[in-house]
mmCIF file of all heavy atoms in Angstrom:
data_model
loop_
_atom_site.group_PDB
_atom_site.id
_atom_site.type_symbol
_atom_site.label_atom_id
_atom_site.label_comp_id
_atom_site.label_asym_id
_atom_site.label_seq_id
_atom_site.Cartn_x
_atom_site.Cartn_y
_atom_site.Cartn_z
ATOM 1 N N LEU A 517 130.149 94.499 100.926
ATOM 2 C CA LEU A 517 130.566 95.762 100.296
ATOM 3 C C LEU A 517 132.068 95.964 100.437
ATOM 4 O O LEU A 517 132.615 95.816 101.537
ATOM 5 C CB LEU A 517 129.860 96.931 100.977
ATOM 6 C CG LEU A 517 128.545 97.456 100.392
ATOM 7 C CD1 LEU A 517 128.011 98.562 101.272
ATOM 8 C CD2 LEU A 517 128.707 97.972 98.979
ATOM 9 N N GLU A 520 135.810 100.385 97.934
ATOM 10 C CA GLU A 520 135.663 101.138 96.681
ATOM 11 C C GLU A 520 134.177 101.345 96.348
ATOM 12 O O GLU A 520 133.747 102.450 96.014
ATOM 13 C CB GLU A 520 136.340 100.403 95.510
ATOM 14 C CG GLU A 520 137.847 100.277 95.600
ATOM 15 C CD GLU A 520 138.288 99.184 96.573
ATOM 16 O OE1 GLU A 520 137.511 98.234 96.801
ATOM 17 O OE2 GLU A 520 139.391 99.304 97.125
ATOM 18 N N ALA A 521 133.391 100.234 96.457
ATOM 19 C CA ALA A 521 131.964 100.317 96.130
ATOM 20 C C ALA A 521 131.253 101.236 97.112
ATOM 21 O O ALA A 521 130.412 102.058 96.737
ATOM 22 C CB ALA A 521 131.341 98.924 96.165
ATOM 23 N N SER A 522 131.632 101.099 98.387
ATOM 24 C CA SER A 522 131.026 101.923 99.432
ATOM 25 C C SER A 522 131.304 103.407 99.169
ATOM 26 O O SER A 522 130.418 104.259 99.291
ATOM 27 C CB SER A 522 131.605 101.482 100.777
ATOM 28 O OG SER A 522 131.123 102.273 101.797
ATOM 29 N N LYS A 524 131.994 104.810 96.294
ATOM 30 C CA LYS A 524 131.275 105.219 95.079
ATOM 31 C C LYS A 524 129.840 105.628 95.429
ATOM 32 O O LYS A 524 129.348 106.677 94.992
ATOM 33 C CB LYS A 524 131.268 104.043 94.098
ATOM 34 C CG LYS A 524 130.804 104.388 92.717
ATOM 35 C CD LYS A 524 131.976 104.811 91.853
ATOM 36 C CE LYS A 524 131.514 105.373 90.541
ATOM 37 N NZ LYS A 524 132.522 106.159 89.868
ATOM 38 N N ILE A 525 129.171 104.777 96.224
ATOM 39 C CA ILE A 525 127.771 105.058 96.602
ATOM 40 C C ILE A 525 127.714 106.303 97.487
ATOM 41 O O ILE A 525 126.844 107.158 97.330
ATOM 42 C CB ILE A 525 127.144 103.823 97.317
ATOM 43 C CG1 ILE A 525 127.004 102.666 96.311
ATOM 44 C CG2 ILE A 525 125.779 104.158 97.910
ATOM 45 C CD1 ILE A 525 126.597 101.338 96.910
ATOM 46 N N LEU A 552 120.183 101.455 97.093
ATOM 47 C CA LEU A 552 121.364 101.372 96.213
ATOM 48 C C LEU A 552 122.268 100.215 96.627
ATOM 49 O O LEU A 552 122.801 99.490 95.788
ATOM 50 C CB LEU A 552 122.153 102.685 96.266
ATOM 51 C CG LEU A 552 121.577 103.861 95.477
ATOM 52 C CD1 LEU A 552 122.285 105.156 95.859
ATOM 53 C CD2 LEU A 552 121.703 103.621 93.980
ATOM 54 N N ALA A 556 123.293 96.916 94.359
ATOM 55 C CA ALA A 556 124.702 96.574 94.098
ATOM 56 C C ALA A 556 124.991 95.143 94.553
ATOM 57 O O ALA A 556 125.678 94.383 93.863
ATOM 58 C CB ALA A 556 125.615 97.567 94.815
ATOM 59 N N ASN A 559 123.558 92.662 92.115
ATOM 60 C CA ASN A 559 124.352 92.569 90.884
ATOM 61 C C ASN A 559 125.594 91.699 91.099
ATOM 62 O O ASN A 559 125.987 90.925 90.225
ATOM 63 C CB ASN A 559 124.756 93.964 90.404
ATOM 64 C CG ASN A 559 125.178 93.974 88.954
ATOM 65 O OD1 ASN A 559 124.402 93.616 88.067
ATOM 66 N ND2 ASN A 559 126.419 94.332 88.705
ATOM 67 N N VAL A 568 131.154 93.062 96.686
ATOM 68 C CA VAL A 568 130.474 94.055 95.844
ATOM 69 C C VAL A 568 131.538 95.014 95.335
ATOM 70 O O VAL A 568 132.117 95.784 96.105
ATOM 71 C CB VAL A 568 129.395 94.813 96.659
ATOM 72 C CG1 VAL A 568 128.694 95.842 95.787
ATOM 73 C CG2 VAL A 568 128.392 93.850 97.247
ATOM 74 N N GLU A 569 131.834 94.927 94.042
ATOM 75 C CA GLU A 569 132.908 95.742 93.458
ATOM 76 C C GLU A 569 132.363 97.105 93.015
ATOM 77 O O GLU A 569 131.158 97.352 93.049
ATOM 78 C CB GLU A 569 133.505 95.024 92.235
ATOM 79 C CG GLU A 569 133.947 93.598 92.491
ATOM 80 C CD GLU A 569 135.154 93.485 93.411
ATOM 81 O OE1 GLU A 569 135.860 94.506 93.566
ATOM 82 O OE2 GLU A 569 135.369 92.410 93.988
ATOM 83 N N GLU A 570 133.297 97.931 92.546
ATOM 84 C CA GLU A 570 132.938 99.279 92.087
ATOM 85 C C GLU A 570 131.954 99.219 90.915
ATOM 86 O O GLU A 570 131.023 100.014 90.828
ATOM 87 C CB GLU A 570 134.215 100.020 91.674
ATOM 88 C CG GLU A 570 134.031 101.518 91.645
ATOM 89 C CD GLU A 570 135.353 102.255 91.464
ATOM 90 O OE1 GLU A 570 136.414 101.727 91.869
ATOM 91 O OE2 GLU A 570 135.313 103.355 90.904
ATOM 92 N N GLU A 571 132.132 98.223 90.009
ATOM 93 C CA GLU A 571 131.244 98.126 88.833
ATOM 94 C C GLU A 571 129.801 97.811 89.248
ATOM 95 O O GLU A 571 128.849 98.230 88.593
ATOM 96 C CB GLU A 571 131.753 97.077 87.843
ATOM 97 C CG GLU A 571 131.797 95.663 88.394
ATOM 98 C CD GLU A 571 132.338 94.659 87.382
ATOM 99 O OE1 GLU A 571 131.603 94.312 86.450
ATOM 100 O OE2 GLU A 571 133.493 94.223 87.554
ATOM 101 N N ASP A 572 129.632 97.067 90.375
ATOM 102 C CA ASP A 572 128.275 96.773 90.868
ATOM 103 C C ASP A 572 127.610 98.057 91.366
ATOM 104 O O ASP A 572 126.429 98.294 91.117
ATOM 105 C CB ASP A 572 128.320 95.738 92.002
ATOM 106 C CG ASP A 572 128.927 94.416 91.555
ATOM 107 O OD1 ASP A 572 128.487 93.896 90.516
ATOM 108 O OD2 ASP A 572 129.835 93.925 92.234
ATOM 109 N N ALA A 573 128.415 98.867 92.074
ATOM 110 C CA ALA A 573 127.896 100.142 92.576
ATOM 111 C C ALA A 573 127.513 101.052 91.405
ATOM 112 O O ALA A 573 126.469 101.713 91.427
ATOM 113 C CB ALA A 573 128.940 100.815 93.459
ATOM 114 N N GLU A 574 128.363 101.061 90.352
ATOM 115 C CA GLU A 574 128.074 101.900 89.172
ATOM 116 C C GLU A 574 126.779 101.478 88.496
ATOM 117 O O GLU A 574 125.991 102.306 88.050
ATOM 118 C CB GLU A 574 129.245 101.814 88.179
ATOM 119 C CG GLU A 574 130.406 102.709 88.557
ATOM 120 C CD GLU A 574 131.655 102.420 87.745
ATOM 121 O OE1 GLU A 574 131.607 101.539 86.862
ATOM 122 O OE2 GLU A 574 132.692 103.076 88.011
ATOM 123 N N MET A 575 126.573 100.144 88.417
ATOM 124 C CA MET A 575 125.344 99.634 87.790
ATOM 125 C C MET A 575 124.111 100.069 88.600
ATOM 126 O O MET A 575 123.120 100.532 88.044
ATOM 127 C CB MET A 575 125.427 98.093 87.726
ATOM 128 C CG MET A 575 124.405 97.433 86.829
ATOM 129 S SD MET A 575 122.746 97.454 87.485
ATOM 130 C CE MET A 575 123.028 96.923 89.160
ATOM 131 N N ALA A 576 124.196 99.956 89.940
ATOM 132 C CA ALA A 576 123.083 100.360 90.809
ATOM 133 C C ALA A 576 122.793 101.847 90.630
ATOM 134 O O ALA A 576 121.636 102.263 90.528
ATOM 135 C CB ALA A 576 123.418 100.050 92.270
ATOM 136 N N ILE A 577 123.862 102.648 90.562
ATOM 137 C CA ILE A 577 123.706 104.102 90.408
ATOM 138 C C ILE A 577 123.075 104.432 89.060
ATOM 139 O O ILE A 577 122.173 105.270 88.973
ATOM 140 C CB ILE A 577 125.080 104.811 90.587
ATOM 141 C CG1 ILE A 577 125.492 104.748 92.065
ATOM 142 C CG2 ILE A 577 125.021 106.254 90.106
ATOM 143 C CD1 ILE A 577 126.951 105.102 92.329
ATOM 144 N N SER A 578 123.518 103.745 87.984
ATOM 145 C CA SER A 578 122.970 104.056 86.650
ATOM 146 C C SER A 578 121.482 103.697 86.584
ATOM 147 O O SER A 578 120.688 104.428 85.996
ATOM 148 C CB SER A 578 123.750 103.319 85.564
ATOM 149 O OG SER A 578 123.480 101.934 85.629
#
Side-chain angles (χ1 to χ4, degrees):
L517 267 177
E520 294 77 26
S522 177
K524 191 90 189 162
I525 293 171
L552 283 168
N559 198 60
V568 180
E569 307 292 341
E570 200 170 332
E571 62 181 285
D572 300 310
E574 280 169 2
M575 194 288 313
I577 289 166
S578 70

